[in-house]
Amino acid sequence: PPRSTLFPYTTLFRSIAVVLASTLISTRLSAGSATRTTDADDELLDRLVAGNDRSVEKLLGLTGGARPMPYYRYLSGSVANLSAAYCHPKSAFFKSGQILPVFEAAIKKLTALQYADGTLDSGGNRHSAPDTAFLLESLCSAAFILQEHDFAELADVKKQLEQFLRKAGEGLRTGGVHTPNHRWVVCAMLAKLYSLYKDQKYLDRIEQWLAEGVYIDADGQYPERSRNYAVVENNSLITLGHLLQRPDLLDMARKNLQATYYYMEDDGELVTLDSRRQDQYQPISITSFYRAYRYMAIHSNDGFLAAVARKIETLANFTESVVSRALPSFMERPLLAQKLPQATALPSAYNKHFSTSALVRIKNGDRSASIYGGSDKPMVIASGRSCIPTFFTFRKASVEIGRAHD
């Protein structure tokens, strides 16, 4: 279709933009300078230990009663929570006899769900390598924690988990994917497996996938233009960059994180009008990006990213979304436990044009607007389609007008 049908500044859009822009202030992104520190963030770590303990208490309640054990991804996360609780000296469950039976039961459940090729199902995805990779994100964290703590009573559990992970690794190494972003979560988990077990076949498969190239556009968006999918891609690229010493992959994640700030409303909800995936109707919270912002802020000594991480820590759902489940990641990757660098001031007023997505974001204080003209119609070749009918939204504090819902 002609560009004029895709670009936001049609006569209607131009009129709306001029009216709004006349009352709003424009500013530019600047990471600023920051002071690096290697001190541990003890206050946050104490919160994470307490939050992990609460998660373990809930898990013990589930497995001790009549209800079935948690399933699939939640089950793998539970294994990580249990590992962290048993091995962290500040945990109320440190070396607790309550943990091991539940730990063993969880691994046996996962093993029972695993096919001979190493994969597992997830909903309608059968023998799914990428869905298996999502499970391994938590399970590899558990394996790292157990490797670091040579407790004799964990020997059997460590052996069972290693057998499961090595078998799953073959499924990831030989299996395919469903969407472009799945390549990177598979690669990230193969990198974790290589770090654990040093099998060259994992690296060989990673190089094959990376040879296809990672796509990110000038606006800092991945092919799906999805905030939900960007969580996966950022975490995966950070894992690969961290473990394989690939700064180019870290740079891509940083570029996306810088752009993502401008999609954020004051309550942490992310604008998803330009998404090509299901979150175009179901916006998500920026809390899902917390580990990525924190890692890149510390790694790059970036005051802007540190400020976004600090902002996330103030959000209402931070405790539920981060504090209750992040301890295993912090134990696996100690850099996360360092204090954030000094944060710079976040821009509270801006006029940001994402040209490849045909999206304009305008903000001034508690007022914000989104102007969108990039729907993928009548035809486009992409990972999903942007087809939401909404072209304009306006928001003041928590009151929003204009967005279509699923």
Side-chain angles (χ1 to χ4, degrees):
R3 183 169 175 79
S4 61
T5 66
L6 298 178
F7 197 73
Y9 293 118
T10 61
T11 301
L12 174 62
F13 291 170
R14 188 182 295 112
S15 299
I16 296 171
V18 168
V19 171
L20 289 170
S22 66
T23 62
L24 302 175
I25 303 171
S26 176
T27 190
R28 300 184 67 181
L29 167 66
S30 175
S33 60
T35 302
R36 182 184 295 276
T37 175
T38 58
D39 295 337
D41 191 336
D42 292 328
E43 181 179 352
L44 177 61
L45 286 173
D46 287 344
R47 290 184 66 190
L48 294 178
V49 171
N52 192 76
D53 282 353
R54 289 192 295 271
S55 296
V56 169
E57 287 173 358
K58 292 179 181 178
L59 178 62
L60 294 177
L62 280 174
T63 56
R67 288 173 292 178
M69 287 192 68
Y71 207 55
Y72 287 102
R73 289 194 197 180
Y74 186 79
L75 181 57
S76 66
S78 299
V79 171
N81 288 137
L82 292 166
S83 301
Y86 192 88
C87 295
H88 199 290
K90 289 189 176 182
S91 170
F93 296 97
F94 179 58
K95 302 195 72 174
S96 169
Q98 293 178 274
I99 296 291
L100 287 181
V102 182
F103 209 155
E104 292 172 352
I107 296 176
K108 286 180 180 178
K109 180 65 174 178
L110 285 167
T111 301
L113 294 168
Q114 190 175 37
Y115 288 110
D117 64 2
T119 63
L120 291 87
D121 295 334
S122 180
N125 297 333
R126 305 300 184 183
H127 292 261
S128 174
D131 286 289
T132 303
F134 286 122
L135 295 177
L136 262 59
E137 185 169 13
S138 297
L139 294 175
C140 286
S141 295
F144 276 109
I145 293 169
L146 296 181
Q147 272 196 354
E148 291 297 309
H149 296 82
D150 190 22
F151 300 147
E153 66 274 21
L154 293 176
D156 287 343
V157 168
K158 290 166 69 172
K159 182 178 180 180
Q160 293 170 30
L161 182 57
E162 178 177 346
Q163 290 173 343
F164 177 90
L165 290 175
R166 284 183 178 273
K167 190 174 180 180
E170 285 303 295
L172 269 58
R173 189 180 67 84
T174 59
V177 296
H178 307 141
T179 57
N181 71 314
H182 285 168
R183 294 173 296 171
W184 314 134
V185 70
V186 167
C187 285
M189 295 311 106
L190 288 173
K192 284 193 173 189
L193 290 171
Y194 177 79
S195 294
L196 286 165
Y197 307 125
K198 301 300 184 290
D199 189 330
Q200 181 64 34
K201 296 194 296 291
Y202 299 147
L203 289 183
D204 293 342
R205 185 55 172 147
I206 292 170
E207 291 304 319
Q208 289 175 340
W209 280 124
L210 287 177
E212 295 185 359
V214 181
Y215 177 79
I216 186 168
D217 66 26
D219 289 337
Q221 303 300 334
Y222 300 113
E224 304 86 2
R225 297 195 320 223
S226 163
R227 311 291 86 73
N228 194 34
Y229 279 46
V231 173
V232 174
E233 285 153 312
N234 286 333
N235 288 342
S236 298
L237 293 176
I238 288 171
T239 294
L240 288 165
H242 175 81
L243 294 177
L244 303 183
Q245 299 298 301
R246 289 283 302 266
D248 57 317
L249 302 180
L250 296 177
D251 288 343
M252 293 180 188
R254 182 180 181 182
K255 185 176 182 179
N256 180 266
L257 293 170
Q258 289 172 333
T260 298
Y261 168 74
Y262 292 97
Y263 283 74
M264 183 182 70
E265 302 289 5
D266 287 341
D267 64 356
E269 183 179 291
L270 294 171
V271 171
T272 58
L273 294 179
D274 58 340
S275 173
R276 290 186 164 120
R277 305 302 300 187
Q278 55 268 42
D279 60 339
Q280 63 188 280
Y281 295 105
Q282 299 172 335
I284 68 169
S285 172
I286 199 169
T287 51
S288 299
F289 288 77
Y290 177 72
R291 283 182 300 155
Y293 274 109
R294 186 176 185 91
Y295 178 91
M296 290 305 304
I298 296 170
H299 178 274
S300 304
N301 199 31
D302 190 310
F304 174 78
L305 299 183
V308 181
R310 288 295 187 205
K311 166 66 177 178
I312 294 172
E313 291 174 356
T314 70
L315 297 176
N317 63 337
F318 179 71
T319 297
E320 178 184 358
S321 299
V322 179
V323 174
S324 65
R325 63 187 70 172
L327 181 62
S329 297
F330 278 62
M331 292 176 69
E332 175 190 2
R333 194 169 294 169
L335 182 143
L336 286 170
Q338 294 179 17
K339 289 183 178 179
L340 287 165
Q342 182 178 350
T344 59
L346 291 173
S348 60
Y350 53 78
N351 187 329
K352 188 74 172 176
H353 178 205
F354 295 96
S355 58
T356 60
S357 296
L359 175 74
V360 174
R361 284 281 294 151
I362 308 171
K363 180 176 174 60
N364 184 13
D366 66 352
R367 292 171 294 165
S368 66
S370 301
I371 307 169
Y372 178 56
S375 290
D376 293 326
K377 289 190 174 183
M379 183 175 69
V380 69
I381 299 174
S383 176
R385 289 168 61 87
S386 171
C387 53
I388 192 169
T390 302
F391 64 86
F392 170 74
T393 66
F394 178 81
R395 181 164 176 158
K396 180 174 173 60
S398 60
V399 179
E400 182 183 31
I401 59 173
R403 188 178 71 193
H405 293 268
D406 191 7

